[in-house]
Amino acid sequence: MNTSPSTALQATSSFYGEHPGMRLLRLALGTTERLWPALAVRVASRLFGTPLPLRKPGRPAVPPGHWRTERLAFEDAEITLYLPQAQPHGPTVLLLHGWGGHARQMLPLADALTARGLRPVLVDLPAHGGSRGRVSNLPQFARAIEYTTARLHAQDSAPHAVVAHSLAANAAAHAASRGLATGRLVLLAPPASPHEYTRLFAQVFGLTERTRAAMQRRIEAREGILMRQFEPPAVGPRIALPTLVVHDRGDRINRFADGEAYRDHIAGATLLATEGLGHRKILQQAEVLQAVADFVAVPALATTFAPAHAQTPANAGPAPSHRPQPLA
């Protein structure tokens, strides 16, 4: 099953509808758009860059005990790292949550990697989890990933792999296309088009195409990069890392076709398709965790992979419910 545009719109609408005040804000935005269009663009841009749910920054997202916290000042915000108290001697693996998420969501994967002798490092990206900041966006995510990786290198903890979920996967792919200093890349439920999400956002809040386009231009001008520069056709051909993409066929947030696009544009990439897990349960399902751990645990010198088309042919049927399709 693939996700239709109407399903994605429903999921986006539900996401914003769950938060108090959104209906009132939608009405206010509509009124402002008619009376003061320039202000509507500024307000929409701010809302687009505000992670929900709102949270109190500075409070660690990962419970203390097995983890120690390290805070990195970054731009006008902060990046929070959670490192294991017991220092495994295995390679470091950077784990990155998606938009509106937090490091705690990556704990099941951290446990699976630790069991394989790897050293997971959890991250709260700017304006998320325990990190300071009120607003963020995709370009900042990408810069934060590059900065965090460089910091770990400086601490002699160079990441052997980067594993990222949702929007962070989009950001990690962009960073990898710019030569991110790591050995392997795992993209979990990555979105393919930030432009498409601006369109869904505009539909949810009843914004005109004129306001949506102005909002996109405002964000691009401020960040100094176009949204299309993050899409698979732009980043994929420049990614030279062994890459695993994991995507559920019924993902209501990011379409399964998005995962296929990364598979098709990254040379040698493998797509692991799942069924019945949706957007977030892939972060918890035992067989997915095992597949990611297996992929990440491969020594850095082992770089031979089967072609992506041999893993998930276009005419492949659906996988068994709640189970990943086999990699071979």
Side-chain angles (χ1 to χ4, degrees):
M1 180 181 70
N2 212 335
T3 305
S4 68
S6 61
T7 303
L9 178 59
Q10 290 168 3
T12 306
S13 182
S14 297
F15 172 75
Y16 284 104
E18 290 173 355
H19 303 286
M22 285 298 123
R23 290 185 180 180
L24 182 60
L25 185 54
R26 186 182 190 278
L27 178 62
L29 257 178
T31 302
T32 305
E33 189 178 35
R34 292 191 298 272
L35 300 178
W36 195 349
L39 177 60
V41 171
R42 293 199 297 272
V43 172
S45 300
R46 176 82 181 193
L47 179 59
F48 186 75
T50 301
L52 297 175
L54 299 175
R55 85 276 103 92
K56 184 177 181 180
R59 180 177 300 172
V62 172
H66 299 297
W67 304 89
R68 64 180 178 88
T69 302
E70 181 177 334
R71 300 185 183 277
L72 306 177
F74 180 72
E75 298 182 353
D76 58 351
E78 185 178 57
I79 301 166
T80 305
L81 307 184
Y82 303 96
L83 303 99
Q85 290 281 16
Q87 295 288 338
H89 295 294
T92 296
V93 180
L94 198 61
L95 303 181
L96 302 158
H97 63 79
W99 183 256
H102 47 78
R104 187 189 297 264
Q105 294 171 324
M106 309 301 286
L107 279 173
L109 183 53
D111 291 341
L113 295 174
T114 300
R116 299 292 295 271
L118 299 166
R119 180 175 179 262
V121 174
L122 301 165
V123 181
D124 275 331
L125 290 162
H128 287 73
S131 294
R132 290 186 297 106
R134 293 294 182 186
V135 295
S136 189
N137 53 43
L138 175 58
Q140 188 183 56
F141 268 30
R143 295 193 300 270
I145 293 168
E146 292 181 358
Y147 182 75
T148 301
T149 302
R151 277 291 178 192
L152 289 173
H153 271 270
Q155 297 172 3
D156 294 325
S157 297
H160 165 62
V162 171
V163 182
H165 179 236
S166 198
L167 192 74
N170 194 175
H174 181 267
S177 76
R178 288 165 44 85
L180 185 69
T182 190
R184 303 175 82 76
L185 181 66
V186 180
L187 308 177
L188 304 172
S193 175
H195 164 80
E196 176 65 15
Y197 191 71
T198 67
R199 191 184 66 80
L200 293 171
F201 175 86
Q203 287 183 264
V204 167
F205 286 96
L207 302 177
T208 64
E209 171 57 21
R210 180 178 180 179
T211 299
R212 186 215 64 77
M215 180 188 77
Q216 179 174 331
R217 288 194 300 270
R218 178 183 175 88
I219 295 170
E220 291 175 336
R222 187 179 62 220
E223 298 298 327
I225 190 168
L226 303 183
M227 289 188 179
R228 70 185 183 206
Q229 290 177 259
F230 287 89
E231 295 178 353
V235 301
R238 293 184 286 128
I239 295 176
L241 301 174
T243 301
L244 171 66
V245 183
V246 183
H247 217 116
D248 192 79
R249 294 183 182 277
D251 191 325
R252 298 178 67 243
I253 304 298
N254 299 327
R255 303 174 308 153
F256 180 70
D258 292 356
E260 291 180 309
Y262 283 97
R263 185 272 315 274
D264 292 343
H265 286 92
I266 300 174
T270 298
L271 173 63
L272 173 59
T274 66
E275 187 81 24
L277 298 178
H279 188 64
R280 294 183 180 87
K281 288 184 180 179
I282 61 170
L283 300 178
Q284 305 167 3
Q285 208 268 352
E287 293 185 20
V288 171
L289 301 181
Q290 183 64 43
V292 172
D294 287 345
F295 178 82
V296 168
V298 172
L301 293 179
T303 57
T304 302
F305 296 90
H309 66 266
Q311 309 300 328
T312 52
N315 60 353
S321 180
H322 300 291
R323 299 175 67 87
Q325 288 188 346
L327 289 176

